[in-house]
Amino acid sequence: MAYPLQNLSFQTLFDAVADAMLLIDDHGLVAQGNAASQQLLGYTSQEIIGLEVETLIPERYREPHRRYRMAFIQNPEKRPMGSGNELSVMTKDGNELAVDIGLSPIHNEGQLYILVTFYTVYKRQEVEQALRISEERLRLAKKAAGLNVFDFDANLKMRNESDQLVAFWGADPTNINHHDAKISIIHPKDKATRESAMRQATDPTGDGEFNVEYRVVNQLDNSIHWVSAVGKAHFKEGHATRLLGVARDITEQKILEKKLQDQHVETEMLFAKEVATQTASAIAHEINQPLTAISAYSEVALHALEQDKIDSSSLKRALEGCVTQAQRAGGSLHELLAFLQKGELIKDLLDINEVVKEALVIAKNYGYYDFYPLLQLESNIRPVLANKTQVLKILVNLLRNGVEAMRGAGISSSAISITVRTNANISMAHVTVQDVGPGLSDAIAKRIFEPFFTTKPRGIGMGLAISRTLAEANGGQLWLDPDIKVGATFHFTLPFAK
């Protein structure tokens, strides 16, 4: 028996299919069977061709199958057979196999053929079992890592919420309006930070990256938890359609960081005080003898002036001694400063934009994380020539001062603007750091760069003085903008590389 579809190219493609397939003519006879069907049913190619297809069906199902086949011939269109019903085929040795059956019409030279595809149930069950195992492993992995998947739609509304995710947010799972509940439990000081991060992630001009840390207040016990969320926005035709990512509880990590930060601050303060003490001690040692001598010579001069007849030669020697000892004291101070500052300042070519970003990370690691940075960085700005460590010290100190000022004033929406631009007037990089704190009074502003002047209870008043010295050592300047009335605004400049 020969059929029009029996040619080498068709048979090659037919046998390459992994699923068991039979080609049935309009009389219900098997025209062809691929290699997978022969293996499944136990027939050879010669044995299976010409069989009535119903002989491959258990006897109790044959008549319904025959009626279904005739109905398919009257309305031939691709569809599953007996959807929702139990189906089976019978192998050559009489064993029954549970299968799903798909039917597709094939027309060739005016002849209708039925392509019958057997999907063995055990394979589908294996796939389903593998999927269940994979999902369970993913669930356990997420649980072990403390991860919770979030999925926002185009309107930044949560999709497919689970009680686990809602509970993670600290909202009441019985609350129907989960979205409003979640927004309400975000810490007031962190709402602006999270919203700004979401706006940036869904901005079609950006990279779609979502990365933010914020606090939530658990409505059930009023405890505060830290959340770290990372994700990626998806866009279509220039609009964000989805924001998918994971969130995890980092409260324990933040508690540990806070302890380490407190220890760092305390250590830094003790070190600064020790440096100040040792410096003051060295200065006192160097100028104590000249000051003692000046005092003695001054007493001689006063005594000479009190006499009825002034001994000009004695007075001259006393005043000359004062001058000599004063010059000695000055020389000693210059030698001491030269010793403290000895060593060549190593300068490198720096991308000031990258240094600003690094300073933000350092400041947050030091515990100054409760603010949102507003960056305005000039793209393709020329590299500066400066010492990276010292520039970082300037930036971190300005950021720390801003955060402490806003904390002390109890400002909830804390933000610090950092602008990097080219100052064409002096051909230098110009960095501006501005907070939204209470600002500085005129009296304080006049003394803000004086050594040992401080407005902080635990400060020693050296931060801004040192920062200004560092800026000048790198060829730039650091100053306070006196005309800004909201918050405090500092500027510093650095020279471009030649």
Side-chain angles (χ1 to χ4, degrees), residues 169-187:
W169 277 78
D172 184 354
T174 61
N175 189 325
I176 297 176
N177 196 339
H178 291 332
H179 176 75
D180 291 341
K182 290 191 295 294
I183 297 303
S184 67
I185 56 91
I186 297 176
H187 197 286

Side-chain angles (χ1 to χ4, degrees), residues 84-272:
N85 298 323
E86 181 181 351
L87 301 174
S88 61
V89 293
M90 190 166 60
T91 65
K92 179 181 178 181
D93 56 10
N95 292 325
E96 291 188 18
L97 298 175
V99 294
D100 291 327
I101 300 177
L103 304 177
S104 300
I106 294 181
H107 297 275
N108 183 65
E109 298 179 356
Q111 177 73 38
L112 173 66
Y113 293 90
I114 306 172
L115 181 64
V116 180
T117 305
F118 300 111
Y119 304 99
T120 53
V121 173
Y122 78 88
K123 286 187 176 180
R124 172 167 54 81
Q125 290 173 340
E126 285 181 352
V127 172
E128 291 174 349
Q129 177 67 9
L131 179 60
R132 283 193 295 270
I133 293 173
S134 177
E135 289 176 342
E136 179 64 13
R137 286 175 177 170
L138 178 60
R139 185 190 68 80
L140 293 174
K142 290 193 298 183
K143 182 178 180 181
L147 299 178
N148 290 273
V149 177
F150 59 81
D151 188 358
F152 291 97
D153 61 19
N155 297 316
L156 298 182
K157 303 288 185 179
M158 187 72 77
R159 298 165 35 150
N160 304 323
E161 295 175 337
S162 65
D163 289 346
Q164 180 183 2
L165 182 59
V166 173
F168 170 75
W169 277 78
D172 184 354
T174 61
N175 189 325
I176 297 176
N177 196 339
H178 291 332
H179 176 75
D180 291 341
K182 290 191 295 294
I183 297 303
S184 67
I185 56 91
I186 297 176
H187 197 286
K189 291 186 177 181
D190 295 342
K191 285 184 179 180
T193 298
R194 178 180 173 275
E195 289 171 3
S196 181
M198 294 191 77
R199 284 196 303 270
Q200 286 191 357
T202 54
D203 184 348
T205 63
D207 57 8
E209 296 293 336
F210 179 65
N211 192 339
V212 66
E213 294 179 357
Y214 55 89
R215 288 162 291 180
V216 295
V217 182
N218 192 302
Q219 293 179 331
L220 303 180
D221 58 11
N222 291 322
S223 59
I224 296 177
H225 296 265
W226 274 96
V227 175
S228 173
V230 295
K232 183 77 173 180
H234 299 267
F235 299 89
K236 184 177 181 181
E237 298 178 353
H239 298 283
T241 58
R242 196 174 185 185
L243 178 59
L244 184 65
V246 294
R248 62 189 180 95
D249 190 318
I250 58 170
T251 305
E252 292 185 3
Q253 173 185 327
K254 284 295 183 181
I255 292 173
L256 178 59
E257 286 180 359
K258 184 65 169 60
K259 291 180 179 178
L260 294 175
Q261 289 153 6
D262 290 344
Q263 292 175 2
H264 172 83
V265 171
E266 184 176 357
T267 301
E268 189 178 60
M269 184 174 296
L270 290 173
F271 177 75

